[in-house]
Amino acid sequence: MKEWLELAQKKDAQDALAKYKKEFYLGEAVHYMDGNSLGLMSRPAEQSLLDVMEDWKQHGIDGWTRGDRPWFYMSEKIGEMMAQIIGAERHEVLATNSTTINIHQTVRTLYQPTDERHKILVDDLNFPSDIYAVQSILDDYGYPDGMVKVPSHDGHTLSTDTIIEHMDESVAMILLPSVLYRSGQVLEMEKLTEKAHEKGILIGFDLCHSIGSVPHQLKEWDVDFAMWCTYKHLNGGPGSVGGLYIHEKHHDVGVSLKGWFGNNKETQFDMGHTFDQAPDISQYQVGTPHIFSMAPLLGTLEMFQEAGMENIRKKSLELTDFMMTMIDAVLEDYDIEVVTPREPEHRGGHILIGHPQAAGINAALKSKGVIPDFRAPSYVRIAPVALYNSFEDVYHTVAILKEIMDNRLYEAYENRRGVIA
Ligand SMILES: *Cc1c(COP(=O)(O)O)cnc(C)c1O
């Protein structure tokens, strides 16, 4: 094991992003590996939240337009910062609502079904909320059987060819994840977008598991729409406000869920009863923005801009590569299966391992200061995050896993999930 530790330390010594670890509060976790569920709090995020609270203290109602970070424009300001890390233009990206509400809002707005073409293509492995939202929209539009799910051949990944085979003349829209939340597979967004457009189908991606970990070029790829949360890899804090991208070519469609914050800012306070839709992405806002659930993003996104998405991706791939290589080498005697695709271009920022005793293993890891998460029935997700995890964290995670397996420490725990897993 000593050679693995030395290797990790050597990699840490050469890591240009290592300096960011001290910007984060590591709390009780010795080795936090759950940044794909809830990213850690950073000093810049804390500071920007405190700054915005100070503005409330100082300015009261006038904080909407005064102070360094006026609340009236904060959704757009954060949108602009996020646009840079996903390859879109500032008037196409907004911080607003939650991922699920943004699915309702965008799909309802852009979906224009006819009896011949009304299917919405999703996949068998997606997150439940995305599926519930799409199904409820289909129900409301009178096409309850309109959902088509691309099957997975192995229960973990999706084949690009299979997705493309499902793009036929009956499909109006496609909503897929960029990175699958369980296996960590990255879909080929550019190719899928090109194929969808050849068939006249609108396509959007849920970026919850890729934003802040994988670079995107949404505009260049011509993606129609995308939404994401900001509390995973972007470290915006629990329940922080979601993000939304709509290609500018769709900005003249009448937005479905209308509210006064979607109104043109110039006329919003005329308080007229005729909706004057904002010309840009702002039209997708509904009501008053959740300022304190956005403020931490001002700080954390500055860090992302400084660190650079390409550097973050490079380190993230090195971390997961080191983890998988070490698991292969030191845990070969156990029934542990690495489910995540091995090829760098096909994997995101976390890995998924399978074992029949996974819930017990997860609990044993937590008791020893490693924080991963369990996914039923028998998987553990481990996310080494570029900005706050070191190669030595990865070493200790695998070393502790080996200790648990060698001594069957998982037997001390019930092999089932808790309320949140
Ligand atoms: C995390 C996640 C969500 C969560 O949606 P919220 O509206 O923020 O609760 C939805 N979809 C996917 C794919 C996710 O990973």
Side-chain angles (χ1 to χ4, degrees):
M1 295 294 277
K2 190 161 160 281
E3 66 279 12
W4 289 102
L5 178 58
E6 282 166 5
L7 181 56
Q9 287 168 341
K10 198 172 138 215
K11 286 175 183 287
D12 281 332
Q14 295 162 349
D15 171 17
L17 299 182
K19 62 179 181 187
Y20 289 101
K21 191 179 175 89
K22 67 176 187 331
E23 298 290 327
F24 286 86
Y25 292 99
L26 298 169
E28 294 160 8
V30 187
H31 308 293
Y32 192 79
M33 294 284 159
D34 206 9
N36 59 332
S37 279
L38 181 70
L40 290 178
M41 178 165 166
S42 66
R43 290 174 210 282
E46 179 183 37
Q47 191 56 53
S48 57
L49 176 59
L50 289 171
D51 289 349
V52 174
M53 286 169 64
E54 186 64 25
D55 284 338
W56 182 28
K57 226 188 250 175
Q58 299 297 331
H59 304 299
I61 183 74
D62 288 332
W64 285 102
T65 49
R66 283 177 44 192
D68 292 339
R69 308 171 184 282
W71 311 330
F72 198 48
Y73 306 100
M74 198 185 283
S75 305
E76 289 80 5
K77 169 71 191 164
I78 295 171
E80 183 181 345
M81 295 172 92
M82 293 193 292
Q84 293 175 18
I85 64 169
I86 55 167
E89 292 182 55
R90 55 186 287 191
H91 61 280
E92 296 171 317
V93 182
L94 188 68
T96 193
N97 300 316
S98 66
T99 306
T100 311
I101 299 294
N102 285 333
I103 294 173
H104 279 285
Q105 172 71 305
T106 39
V107 173
R108 279 172 198 274
T109 299
L110 301 179
Y111 178 55
Q112 284 169 355
T114 60
D115 281 345
E116 295 72 44
R117 190 188 267 264
H118 60 261
K119 301 237 164 90
I120 301 183
L121 194 64
V122 294
D123 69 279
D124 226 2
L125 303 176
N126 207 341
F127 197 84
S129 213
D130 301 44
I131 299 295
Y132 303 159
V134 168
Q135 185 61 54
S136 73
I137 294 162
L138 288 164
D139 290 345
D140 288 353
Y141 276 82
Y143 298 110
D145 302 322
M147 184 185 292
V148 181
K149 284 190 190 173
V150 178
S152 163
H153 57 284
D154 60 1
H156 297 296
T157 57
L158 297 170
S159 125
T160 304
D161 290 341
T162 310
I163 300 172
I164 293 169
E165 279 161 24
H166 281 75
M167 297 179 185
D168 63 35
E169 270 69 47
S170 67
V171 177
M173 184 181 269
I174 301 173
L175 175 65
L176 291 169
S178 50
V179 167
L180 302 192
Y181 79 102
R182 290 169 63 102
S183 70
Q185 179 194 8
V186 182
L187 297 191
E188 296 185 80
M189 287 177 266
E190 184 174 12
K191 182 168 178 187
L192 291 170
T193 303
E194 189 189 322
K195 294 292 171 191
H197 288 170
E198 279 171 17
K199 296 279 171 66
I201 305 170
L202 291 180
I203 184 163
F205 294 96
D206 180 329
L207 311 183
C208 277
H209 276 87
S210 62
I211 188 155
S213 138
V214 178
H216 304 75
Q217 291 300 334
L218 295 185
K219 191 66 186 286
E220 192 184 310
W221 300 340
D222 205 23
V223 171
D224 293 292
F225 61 96
M227 69 291 293
W228 56 89
C229 60
T230 60
Y231 46 80
K232 293 171 180 163
H233 288 279
L234 288 184
N235 315 315
S240 57
V241 172
L244 180 64
Y245 152 86
I246 306 284
H247 193 293
E248 62 187 347
K249 68 187 168 194
H250 301 303
H251 289 185
D252 54 0
V253 182
V255 74
S256 175
L257 308 179
K258 295 182 175 59
W260 73 313
F261 266 79
N263 199 90
N264 194 330
K265 280 198 164 31
E266 302 298 314
T267 60
Q268 180 174 343
F269 277 84
D270 292 350
M271 300 300 211
H273 281 190
T274 307
F275 184 65
D276 174 17
Q277 182 162 300
D280 54 15
I281 188 72
S282 295
Q283 62 189 238
Y284 278 83
Q285 287 184 84
V286 185
T288 306
H290 305 163
I291 300 299
F292 292 155
S293 298
M294 288 200 287
L297 289 165
L298 292 165
T300 180
L301 285 167
E302 261 175 37
M303 220 173 358
F304 277 87
Q305 289 174 334
E306 188 190 284
M309 275 317 301
E310 295 298 333
N311 299 329
I312 288 171
R313 173 64 166 161
K314 182 167 170 283
K315 177 173 172 189
S316 164
L317 285 173
E318 286 168 5
L319 287 167
T320 46
D321 185 62
F322 181 54
M323 182 173 277
M324 292 191 291
T325 309
M326 190 171 160
I327 289 175
D328 288 345
V330 308
L331 287 163
E332 60 183 345
D333 295 342
Y334 301 103
D335 197 11
I336 288 183
E337 169 203 11
V338 176
V339 176
T340 304
R342 298 281 174 149
E343 310 79 22
E345 67 276 23
H346 293 309
R347 71 172 195 271
H350 69 268
I351 71 161
L352 184 74
I353 59 173
H355 187 279
Q357 300 297 322
I361 292 170
N362 188 70
L365 283 166
K366 281 187 121 162
S367 78
K368 290 188 168 291
V370 176
I371 315 293
D373 66 18
F374 169 71
R375 284 293 174 263
S378 53
Y379 299 94
V380 176
R381 290 191 308 185
I382 314 177
V385 170
L387 287 183
Y388 53 77
N389 286 126
S390 61
F391 291 90
E392 209 177 316
D393 282 327
V394 172
Y395 162 81
H396 287 296
T397 298
V398 182
I400 290 169
L401 180 59
K402 178 167 159 53
E403 184 196 336
I404 291 166
M405 300 313 291
D406 286 346
N407 300 295
R408 303 173 73 90
L409 299 181
Y410 48 82
E411 287 178 350
Y413 302 88
E414 253 189 300
N415 191 35
R416 64 190 193 87
R417 70 169 173 83
V419 176
I420 294 189

